[in-house]
Amino acid sequence: MNKKLNLLQVYRGIAAILVVLSHGGRILSREFDRNTLLQIFHFGWIGVDFFFVLSGFIIFYIHQYDIGKPNKLKSFIIKRFIRIYPLYWIVLATKLLASTFANYKDTILQTSAGEVFKAFLLLPQDNDILNTKFIGVSWTLTYEIFFYCLFAGLILFNTKIYKAIIVAWITGVILNLFNLLPISNNFLLMFIFDEHNLEFVLGCLAAYTISQSKFKFKNSLIYTSLFLLVLSIINTRDGEFNISGIPTLIGYGLPFTLLIIGSVYLEMSSKIDVPLILIYLGDASYSIYLTHGFFLSNISKILDALARKSAVLYTIINFNIIAFVTVVIAVTMGCLIHTYLEKPLIKNLRNKVFAKIT
């Protein structure tokens, strides 16, 4: 039985908060018509890369012994479906309804049925449409679903032919990193061979390394990964990464992989006391991730409108404090949604579905 890894759960929370801070900097700058201290978290989008590597690790770590066992496929698919879709559908439906009532020019009726269908199933979709009509971060969930499908194939087939297909796909992604595949005009192929997919592979390799190795170099791996991440953040700020694909995969994917391996080694070989609040934020990370954009945008609109009611107040108010309050409220709302909606929803669905299976 796999040991529960609390540090990785903490990392899920950190990744979600990084994304919130990054989006907060952009959204609040737009709504307040001025920059805030949140701009220093411009690099927060790396939380997405962290999520991808973590996801690859967790799926392989938990399900590596299901590979080649078709009887495990149904359970795998149900667990992944319940984890992703129900809460996503609720948030998406709420977003569409809110957008419809708030702005009649941007109603769901003016969105093609095909785009709505793809949004609900998390099929590859144009990011401009996602950001304006649906949930902007859902593009990352599309990569998650694609990875789950590939892994489900390993559970079902695990044959030499399927393994050869996986190797060919990985080779194609690597070639596409250097623009060596003539697929730039094909949206679907660009998605299939996108660099982000390799971060899931790195996560799987990290989990395989853990399963095959003894606990060593844990502190060195952690320190090295943090050093590389700091360098990457500095280089990203200074615009020193110019080669397509290299910043994400080497600048962030590889350091996150080393961080995960080192952290898991550390937790397996030592007793780590992790504050419960950090574990809770990790548990709530999906709810925070899905809903933060909606709350950041609308809370900032309300606070800005209140501040503008007084010309004197508007000139003396500290928008950095307002920005901090907005982020805290958005994260808190995500936590409440996790506790009172996501957690009971998943528990009830699993109990009902798996009761029928058994």
Side-chain angles (χ1 to χ4, degrees):
M1 183 175 180
N2 293 318
K3 177 182 177 182
K4 184 176 180 179
L5 302 172
N6 288 327
L7 282 179
L8 295 196
Q9 199 66 359
V10 171
Y11 291 161
R12 286 168 59 88
I14 291 174
I17 298 300
L18 282 173
V19 174
V20 173
L21 291 171
S22 176
H23 288 166
R26 293 203 296 270
I27 293 173
L28 301 186
S29 175
R30 181 190 68 213
E31 298 299 335
F32 296 157
D33 195 25
R34 67 186 67 199
N35 290 333
T36 67
L37 288 178
L38 290 180
Q39 299 299 315
I40 65 176
F41 295 103
H42 63 90
F43 61 88
W45 52 266
I46 68 174
V48 171
D49 301 293
F50 206 178
F51 270 129
F52 286 169
V53 181
L54 281 167
S55 182
F57 178 92
I58 292 169
I59 292 300
F60 192 92
Y61 181 74
I62 295 175
H63 296 286
Q64 58 183 307
Y65 301 111
D66 295 340
I67 293 176
K69 299 178 181 178
N71 61 310
K72 299 289 186 179
L73 179 63
K74 187 175 182 178
S75 175
F76 174 80
I77 291 176
I78 290 173
K79 286 179 180 178
R80 293 301 96 204
F81 179 90
I82 291 175
R83 184 70 184 90
I84 296 295
Y85 280 104
L87 180 64
Y88 169 73
W89 281 340
I90 291 173
V91 175
L92 177 59
T94 303
K95 168 70 185 300
L96 291 175
L97 288 173
S99 298
T100 298
F101 287 111
N103 187 352
Y104 70 91
K105 294 180 180 179
D106 192 30
T107 66
I108 189 174
L109 298 176
Q110 294 176 307
T111 305
S112 70
E115 294 299 334
V116 175
F117 177 78
K118 288 191 288 185
F120 270 89
L121 292 186
L122 288 172
L123 298 176
Q125 203 166 3
D126 185 277
N127 281 350
D128 290 336
I129 294 177
L130 288 176
N131 287 324
T132 56
K133 299 285 186 180
F134 306 112
I135 301 174
V137 297
S138 63
W139 69 270
T140 64
L141 301 181
T142 302
Y143 285 96
E144 287 275 352
I145 298 301
F146 179 58
F147 168 64
Y148 294 161
C149 290
L150 290 176
F151 198 90
L154 282 175
I155 295 175
L156 183 61
F157 300 113
N158 194 31
T159 61
K160 291 183 178 179
I161 294 177
Y162 189 75
K163 289 180 179 178
I165 292 173
I166 294 295
V167 171
W169 167 69
I170 293 174
T171 302
V173 176
I174 295 173
L175 290 175
N176 193 42
L177 279 175
F178 301 98
N179 296 317
L180 297 178
L181 284 183
I183 60 172
S184 57
N185 294 324
N186 190 304
F187 176 75
L188 183 59
L189 289 178
M190 286 296 291
F191 169 80
I192 292 173
F193 294 103
D194 188 271
E195 63 190 89
H196 287 101
N197 291 309
L198 281 185
E199 293 179 320
F200 294 101
V201 176
L202 287 176
C204 291
L205 290 175
Y208 179 78
T209 300
I210 294 294
S211 66
Q212 298 297 316
S213 306
K214 294 182 178 180
F215 310 135
K216 54 185 178 180
F217 306 124
K218 47 185 178 292
N219 291 333
S220 299
L221 287 175
I222 294 173
Y223 295 147
T224 300
S225 66
L226 294 176
F227 174 73
L228 292 175
L229 284 171
V230 171
L231 283 182
S232 295
I233 290 170
I234 293 173
N235 284 340
T236 300
R237 182 196 65 190
D238 294 336
E240 294 181 15
F241 281 136
N242 297 314
I243 303 175
S244 176
I246 297 302
T248 297
L249 191 62
I250 295 180
Y252 296 108
L254 184 58
F256 283 138
T257 303
L258 297 179
L259 177 61
I260 289 171
I261 294 174
S263 299
V264 173
Y265 278 158
L266 179 64
E267 191 162 6
M268 284 185 166
S269 60
S270 309
K271 183 179 180 181
I272 307 296
D273 293 323
V274 181
L276 292 179
I277 182 62
L278 296 181
I279 297 176
Y280 174 77
L281 285 174
D283 293 339
S285 59
Y286 186 50
S287 292
I288 295 171
Y289 187 68
L290 278 182
T291 63
H292 74 273
F294 175 82
F295 288 119
L296 285 174
S297 180
N298 288 281
I299 293 170
S300 60
K301 282 183 172 69
I302 294 172
L303 293 178
D304 185 60
L306 291 173
R308 289 178 182 274
K309 286 187 176 182
S310 170
V312 176
L313 177 63
Y314 192 77
T315 58
I316 64 174
I317 196 169
N318 189 323
F319 278 88
N320 290 317
I321 295 178
I322 297 296
F324 174 77
V325 170
T326 303
V327 168
V328 170
I329 294 175
V331 172
T332 301
M333 293 301 296
C335 290
L336 292 175
I337 289 172
H338 164 72
T339 299
Y340 296 106
L341 178 59
E342 179 190 11
K343 191 175 179 180
L345 177 65
I346 290 177
K347 182 179 179 180
N348 290 333
L349 286 174
R350 284 180 175 173
N351 288 340
K352 291 180 180 179
V353 173
F354 284 103
K356 292 180 180 179
I357 293 177
T358 55

